[in-house]
Amino acid sequence: MSRLVVVSNRTSDPRKTAAGGLAVALRESLEQTGGVWFGWSGKLREMVDGGTVDQNDLHVHTTGNVTLATFDLSPEDHDTYYLGYSNGVLWPVCHYRLDLANFDTRFAKGYRRVNQLFARKLLTLLKPDDIIWVHDYHLIPLAAELRSAGCNNRIGFFLHIPMPPPLIMAAIPEHEWLMRSLFAYDLVGFQAESDVTHFTHYVESEARAVCLGPNHLRAFDRTLQVGAYPIGIDVDEFVRLAQAKEGRDMFARMREEYSRRRLLLGVDRLDYSKGLPHRIHAFRQLLERYPENRDSATLIQIASPSREDVGAYDDLRREMDSLCGAINGDFGELDWMPVRYIHRNVARKRLPGLYRASRVALVTPLRDGMNLVAKEFIAAQDPADPGMLVLSRFAGAAEQLKEALLVNPYDTQGTADAIQRALVMPLAERIDRHSALLNRVREQDVHWWSRTFLKALAEVEPVLAQMS
Ligand code: ADQ
């Protein structure tokens, strides 16, 4: 059986991190065949000669049959590859925020250089029949770099964020190079059918691709298989956490604290793609249009700090501080604050209790690859008295979770109406919707996702066979 090699910008070290569903699923896949998880260590190292970290050793650590191999980046590589291109170009453009993108040519050069560095270092670890699974937007050109160094392995790629429509992608000066690079993979997986459609339209319009059959595209003298593989959560792990002491304590504390009130909950990274200001506006509309919620509904918004060294995130932080301050000032009473805004991480073990104590979850990103919070909220509910999910139609999860109340987050009035509907929804309807949602979240969990992707990758006709 072939070994699996997972490559991602960041890895998960079993000795240090309290892993979430994705890390658990990838580690599980690695353990099944034995394998390597390869990526950036998260550390920066100043180079003696001021250059990039090439001479640098790999940090290698093996637990059982899984090896973790990481390397440090230089501050210059981190600035250009990570902050500049990955998070200053690809992240905003893929989330339709061209206004926030900075197309500095130094960033593209750094991105290419670090992908070459990943390729060079990875090649030293590879065996001929290893199967390689590359993750996310930081590493789009990695297979092309590996191929040009003679790597013949089967290589798959999964994009965790959205694929934008062709004309938005075309705003990136290097768009053709990026999209052509994807054709060096044997299989490219996206979160949602809409992403597959956008990619197909891009290569049809920009590279005159021919569709050879369902999800088989021919362009740049290659045939590529693509598909939607919606990522899921580890439902069993989440249910276990909900029943463990910290989960139960959290639930009991929140239920007691909010016994007279209905709790609405948002849990996000503080990121402009998550639609947080729009959400606060919608909540304000709820209090204005449905005054019965004053003094009775409380929104807890947890927004964990994220990418604080990228400028756009500072502006968002200030905007959220000001919006939450204003709504509390305008509507708050001595014994009731409409919004509790917490700019911190919540420990993973406490999240299920918090989800379960909430009547409504607001998952209203302006654009999101999938959004796992939506699925976690469903998994944590009491099936006999479940809370209701208000979900943006622009989250990848909306393709699967149709029984949620789907909203357009730009339409703050419509979102307020949906929140009100969720708050007053009769028990029988909540139970019906939740049971359909839970079935889907269970059927397509994170283990299903990694199994399905890896099976498709093992069965695909390899790119190199097409060339002979
Ligand atoms: P993210 O943008 O980080 O991920 P999401 O899927 O919502 O978004 O969250 C990932 C995890 O982080 C979840 O397990 C959640 O519980 C946790 N989390 C989020 N906010 C938190 C907070 N404030 N405190 C504690 N934990 C928090 C990217 C893409 C998504 C895609 C995932 C996985 O942007 O669209 O779903 O990858 O592919």
Side-chain angles (χ1 to χ4, degrees):
M1 197 186 234
S2 302
R3 256 187 356 166
L4 176 64
V5 175
V6 171
V7 189
S8 51
N9 176 55
R10 296 300 305 274
T11 60
S12 160
D13 185 341
R15 295 163 300 167
K16 292 185 192 146
T17 34
L22 173 61
V24 170
L26 290 177
R27 206 174 297 143
E28 189 184 86
S29 304
L30 284 164
E31 279 164 6
Q32 272 162 19
T33 55
V36 180
W37 195 339
F38 178 74
W40 171 39
S41 61
K43 296 197 190 94
L44 299 184
R45 187 190 292 194
E46 201 70 62
M47 286 301 94
V48 191
D49 60 2
T52 60
V53 185
D54 217 359
Q55 330 61 346
N56 197 11
D57 290 335
L58 285 176
H59 313 291
V60 180
H61 187 272
T62 301
T63 314
N65 59 355
V66 179
T67 298
L68 185 71
T70 60
F71 63 97
D72 304 340
L73 286 179
S74 73
E76 156 75 11
D77 283 345
H78 179 254
D79 280 354
T80 53
Y81 147 80
Y82 181 74
L83 297 179
Y85 206 74
S86 298
N87 290 315
V89 174
L90 295 174
W91 180 272
V93 171
C94 290
H95 291 89
Y96 301 15
R97 292 299 302 270
L98 296 183
D99 57 318
L100 296 177
N102 178 357
F103 300 114
D104 185 325
T105 51
R106 280 181 315 124
F107 298 162
K109 286 196 188 112
Y111 181 73
R112 173 125 203 227
R113 188 174 63 239
V114 173
N115 270 272
Q116 287 167 339
L117 185 64
F118 264 78
R120 273 201 301 281
K121 292 195 174 294
L122 182 57
L123 280 165
T124 64
L125 301 171
L126 288 181
K127 295 184 182 168
D129 64 344
D130 284 346
I131 289 191
I132 307 171
W133 189 5
V134 179
H135 287 261
D136 230 357
Y137 58 104
H138 315 85
L139 300 171
I140 291 172
L142 183 60
E145 298 297 348
L146 288 167
R147 300 275 185 231
S148 69
C151 171
N152 294 342
N153 297 59
R154 223 169 251 265
I155 317 179
F157 177 78
F158 185 78
L159 185 68
H160 289 256
I161 65 174
M163 171 59 60
L167 283 180
I168 291 190
M169 176 52 77
I172 301 180
E174 304 78 24
H175 66 96
E176 208 243 332
W177 168 69
L178 286 167
M179 295 297 100
R180 177 194 287 268
S181 300
L182 284 176
F183 278 73
Y185 289 97
D186 295 295
L187 172 68
V188 171
F190 297 100
Q191 297 274 26
E193 290 297 342
S194 58
D195 301 311
V196 177
T197 305
H198 288 159
F199 181 67
T200 306
H201 286 167
Y202 174 91
V203 285
E204 282 173 346
S205 63
E206 299 282 332
R208 288 198 295 273
V210 182
C211 214
L212 297 179
N215 295 348
H216 282 80
L217 298 165
R218 175 107 196 135
F220 308 113
D221 293 327
R222 293 280 171 86
T223 302
L224 174 67
Q225 186 170 322
V226 296
Y229 301 89
I231 195 169
I233 61 164
D234 186 339
V235 179
D236 294 330
E237 178 226 44
F238 222 73
V239 170
R240 255 193 323 275
L241 284 180
Q243 287 159 357
K245 185 174 179 319
E246 278 179 79
R248 282 185 286 119
D249 286 354
M250 187 69 185
F251 174 75
R253 262 182 54 200
M254 297 315 283
R255 272 287 154 100
E256 194 191 335
E257 175 91 20
Y258 292 96
S259 55
R260 283 197 314 112
R261 304 213 153 93
R262 282 159 316 161
L263 198 57
L264 296 96
L265 179 67
V267 175
D268 308 79
R269 281 187 304 102
L270 186 66
D271 191 288
Y272 49 78
S273 65
K274 303 292 182 186
L276 297 172
H278 293 72
R279 191 179 302 166
I280 303 299
H281 284 299
F283 185 61
R284 174 180 270 274
Q285 292 259 351
L286 176 84
L287 300 178
E288 279 165 4
R289 288 162 68 81
Y290 304 97
E292 65 268 33
N293 291 308
R294 295 185 196 172
D295 200 23
S296 91
T298 296
L299 168 63
I300 295 189
Q301 176 60 57
I302 295 161
S304 57
S306 170
R307 300 177 199 159
E308 292 187 307
D309 28 15
V310 178
Y313 290 74
D314 257 4
D315 299 343
L316 177 62
R317 184 176 178 175
R318 271 196 296 278
E319 186 180 4
M320 280 300 284
D321 286 347
S322 140
L323 285 173
C324 294
I327 196 168
N328 282 341
D330 293 345
F331 292 91
E333 301 286 348
L334 285 175
D335 61 349
W336 172 67
M337 279 297 155
V339 179
R340 292 182 75 173
Y341 171 55
I342 298 159
H343 182 53
R344 270 196 314 277
N345 241 314
V346 171
R348 193 165 171 73
K349 287 182 178 163
R350 302 170 81 185
L351 272 181
L354 191 55
Y355 288 140
R356 200 176 170 99
S358 305
R359 170 58 66 219
V360 178
L362 302 182
V363 180
T364 54
L366 303 178
R367 194 72 184 104
D368 215 329
M370 176 54 57
N371 197 298
L372 295 179
V373 170
K375 296 185 173 181
E376 291 170 353
F377 176 77
I378 290 161
Q381 295 308 300
D382 173 1
D385 183 15
M388 196 57 216
L389 173 65
V390 173
L391 177 64
S392 164
R393 56 174 298 181
F394 305 126
E399 278 188 11
Q400 293 173 293
L401 305 181
K402 297 220 182 297
E403 292 81 4
L405 292 183
L406 296 186
V407 296
N408 165 7
Y410 292 96
D411 172 10
T412 51
Q413 207 161 302
T415 305
D417 293 344
I419 299 173
Q420 175 66 5
R421 192 170 159 213
L423 283 168
V424 299
M425 188 178 284
L427 178 64
E429 185 178 350
R430 279 191 281 126
I431 290 178
D432 282 354
R433 285 175 181 264
H434 175 259
S435 132
L437 289 167
L438 185 60
N439 283 341
R440 197 122 346 100
V441 170
R442 262 197 186 289
E443 272 163 22
Q444 301 191 332
D445 69 357
V446 76
H447 308 289
W448 168 88
W449 168 77
S450 53
R451 246 190 350 260
T452 313
F453 183 91
L454 288 171
K455 183 166 181 287
L457 179 57
E459 287 169 359
V460 81
E461 188 195 350
V463 161
L464 289 167
Q466 300 165 23
M467 296 165 72
S468 52

